[in-house]
Amino acid sequence: PVLSFTGDKIGETQLEIKAAPPDTARAVVHRGIITDLQNKRRGTASTLTRAEVRGGGKKPYPQKKTGRARRGSTRTPLRPGGGVVFGPKPRDWTIKINRKEKRLAISTAIASALINTIVVEDFMNKFEGKPKTKEFIAAMKRWGLDPKEKSLFLMGEEEVSDNVRLSSRNIGTLKMLTPRTLNLFDILNADKLVLTPAAVEYLNARYGVNNSAYDDDEEEEEEYEGEGEGEGE
């Protein structure tokens, strides 16, 4: 059902999302989320080894006749201020995932969230005046949403209106995305998924059973990206 801004049913819509088979769905989504999170790592953590740390050129005390352990340098990893053994060094954490596999992970996550999904009409023109968070929270309650639960709003427009963005930005449990910013982590992290009719149309075209409209464009992008691969391996 499609809900109006006041919470009444005004129509119906159909969401046909392609999902992975039940025996592989968990693995596909897990690989997708691990790829997203690992590719965000900057990999700039760095420590100094005993060869790089400052000092330690002089033998701290004689080799013999002191009764102490033999020391050749004060920069040994066994002493405070010494080097680090097998510490982190700058590295690239990026891992690759196939474009179709990533798309299947997102569609599978959306399909698993359908039980907690509602569709509301486009409410951009409802906040033409001064933005008010109180009015946005009241609208959420009319739609059956708890402001204390995590909600993900997927809008069909490329740009969300300023009044809607300002009215919702103070709600810490709410996240508003567009097709350009849709990602797997936010889908899995949300308790409720709120769609607009335009977003339903986009999901059916992009992640639905019949999504051939996007295949040609993606094949061209894969060929373009594949030209620079194979270096640095």
Side-chain angles (χ1 to χ4, degrees):
V2 180
L3 303 180
S4 65
F5 188 72
T6 58
D8 301 325
K9 178 181 176 180
I10 59 175
E12 293 184 353
T13 185
Q14 188 73 17
L15 188 60
E16 299 179 355
I17 296 295
K18 182 188 297 184
D23 55 339
T24 60
R26 186 181 182 89
V28 170
V29 175
H30 178 266
R31 175 169 166 78
I33 191 65
I34 290 299
T35 302
D36 288 347
L37 296 179
Q38 186 163 326
N39 289 348
K40 291 181 180 179
R41 299 188 64 171
R42 298 178 61 184
T44 56
S46 180
T47 56
L48 299 179
T49 64
R50 64 177 298 167
E52 298 169 334
V53 74
R54 184 186 177 99
K58 181 182 178 181
K59 190 175 179 66
Y61 48 82
Q63 178 86 347
K64 298 179 180 294
K65 300 182 179 179
T66 62
R68 304 175 65 182
R70 295 171 290 186
R71 296 293 187 196
S73 172
T74 58
R75 303 296 90 179
T76 171
L78 304 180
R79 294 178 61 91
V84 179
V85 181
F86 302 126
K89 286 292 184 181
R91 57 168 293 184
D92 183 13
W93 289 92
T94 303
I95 56 178
K96 181 183 176 182
I97 185 173
N98 295 331
R99 190 181 301 272
K100 292 184 178 180
E101 186 178 3
K102 183 176 181 180
R103 187 173 64 182
L104 181 61
I106 294 178
S107 62
T108 303
I110 296 175
S112 65
L114 289 181
I115 190 173
N116 295 321
T117 301
I118 64 172
V119 181
V120 299
E121 66 173 349
D122 187 7
F123 52 89
M124 290 296 175
N125 56 354
K126 305 297 183 180
F127 294 89
E128 293 181 351
K130 185 178 180 180
K132 291 185 179 180
T133 304
K134 184 184 296 185
E135 294 182 0
F136 200 96
I137 293 178
M140 293 178 61
K141 292 181 178 179
R142 291 195 298 268
W143 296 330
L145 301 176
D146 186 359
K148 295 182 180 180
E149 294 183 349
K150 297 178 182 179
S151 301
L152 174 61
F153 281 71
L154 179 59
M155 316 300 294
E157 295 79 5
E158 289 296 331
E159 295 292 340
V160 180
S161 65
D162 292 338
N163 287 339
V164 173
R165 179 177 56 83
L166 294 175
S167 300
S168 61
R169 69 175 180 177
N170 285 337
I171 306 176
T173 57
L174 184 145
K175 208 157 208 180
M176 192 165 292
L177 303 180
T178 62
R180 186 181 297 273
T181 58
L182 181 64
N183 61 89
L184 182 59
F185 179 82
D186 288 333
I187 297 173
L188 298 176
N189 192 41
D191 297 323
K192 295 289 184 178
L193 184 61
V194 183
L195 308 176
T196 61
V200 173
E201 182 179 354
Y202 166 79
L203 293 177
N204 284 331
R206 178 73 172 181
Y207 303 104
V209 178
N210 300 321
N211 55 0
S212 59
Y214 291 86
D215 291 342
D216 296 337
D217 296 338
E218 291 185 353
E219 289 178 0
E220 293 179 359
E221 292 179 2
E222 289 178 355
E223 293 177 358
Y224 176 77
E225 294 179 355
E227 293 179 357
E229 297 180 356
E231 299 179 359
E233 295 183 355

